[in-house]
């Protein structure tokens, strides 16, 4: 259904997992399998760098949202995950959903509503892994939306950092215009494309990953959303621009905030 998604990777989940593993280990990442789900590994990649800011990224939570998954591999291949940051990456949270082209996993569960109860094998293994990691300062999750016509993001702040939202939206707009609706997914935007979300779940017993990360103490998170109706290549490129800008802005802001506090 997704056809050829980049120059040399067709989106077969098995070959994707192999390609990501090969590129990540070549780039010096430590590889772990959090679980085996439906015959597929649930991979996590880490590159420790003492004293560096900790950034965590995830994709592939919803199996019908391929752009973020592809963008993560393309960012890796481009050398984006370089020095200066301690990276953690979970590129495929929902391998059975990806294999079937479904939002939910093979059992029909939306994994991004399971981060409180942790009923699924995927999320319980993922949380068990996250609990062994230091809390990242920044979290970025890559998603897509079948209903939107433009790019938008959710921002969750725990520490009052200057927002990178405008910079991310401006960068993303080079590829995909900002979603114009004043209400997106039942949330009123702060500015076009920018949902500033409280660090609380919309439904108290249905936590998405971003709420779990905020509860753990992650200072700032961005959930990036590209519109599924546009060409996949543009959505992948848009995610790459947005991730690059989010991290660059975070590192700039972090330096200023830490400098002001004298804690650098
Ligand atoms: Zn999603």
């Amino acid at each position: 259904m997704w056809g050829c998604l980049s120059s040399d990777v067709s989106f077969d989940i098995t070959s994707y997992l192999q390609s990501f593993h090969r590129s990540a280990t070549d780039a010096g990442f430590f590889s772990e399998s959090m679980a085996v789900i439906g015959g597929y590994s649930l991979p996590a990649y880490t590159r420790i760098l003492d004293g560096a800011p900790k950034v965590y990224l995830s994709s592939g939570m919803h199996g019908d949202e391929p752009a973020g998954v592809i963008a993560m591999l393309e960012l890796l291949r481009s050398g984006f995950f370089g020095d200066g940051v301690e990276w953690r990456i979970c590129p495929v949270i929902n391998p059975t959903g990806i294999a079937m082209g479904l939002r939910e996993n093979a059992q029909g569960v939306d994994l991004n509503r399971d981060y409180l109860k942790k009923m699924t094998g995927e999320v319980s293994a993922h949380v068990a892994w996250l609990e062994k990691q230091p809390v990242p300062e920044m979290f970025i999750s890559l998603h897509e939306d079948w209903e939107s016509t433009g790019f938008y993001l959710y921002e969750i702040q725990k520490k009052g950092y200057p927002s990178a939202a405008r910079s991310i939206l401006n960068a993303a707009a080079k590829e995909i215009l900002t979603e114009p609706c004043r209400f997106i997914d039942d949330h009123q935007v702060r500015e076009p494309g920018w949902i500033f979300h409280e660090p609380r779940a919309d439904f108290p017993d249905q936590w998405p990953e971003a709420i779990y990360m905020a509860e753990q103490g992650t200072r700032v998170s961005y959930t990036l959303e590209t519109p599924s109706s546009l060409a996949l290549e543009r959505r992948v490129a848009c995610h790459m621009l947005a991730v690059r800008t989010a991290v660059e802005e975070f590192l700039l802001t972090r330096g200023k905030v830490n400098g002001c506090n004298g804690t650098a």
Side-chain angles (χ1 to χ4, degrees), residues 62 65 103 143-144 225:
H62 294 133
E65 300 175 7
R103 175 181 174 89
H143 283 260
E144 300 209 79
E225 302 269 1

Side-chain angles (χ1 to χ4, degrees), residues 5-6 11 25 55 81 91 115 143 181 192 212 216 240 243 249:
L5 299 180
S6 72
F11 205 83
T25 50
V55 176
F81 299 113
Y115 279 79
H143 283 260
C181 290
Y212 171 82
Q216 295 303 299
M240 293 175 71
V243 170
E249 286 286 314

Side-chain angles (χ1 to χ4, degrees), residues 192-207:
W194 178 9
I195 300 169
F196 193 83
H197 199 285
E198 293 292 313
R200 289 189 300 275
D202 294 334
F203 301 98
D205 61 345
Q206 297 180 28
W207 285 15

Side-chain angles (χ1 to χ4, degrees), residues 18-31 45 76:
Q18 292 170 347
S19 295
F20 199 98
H21 183 82
R22 195 162 48 242
S23 296
T25 50
D26 286 351
F29 277 85
F30 174 65
S31 164
Y45 294 94
L76 176 62

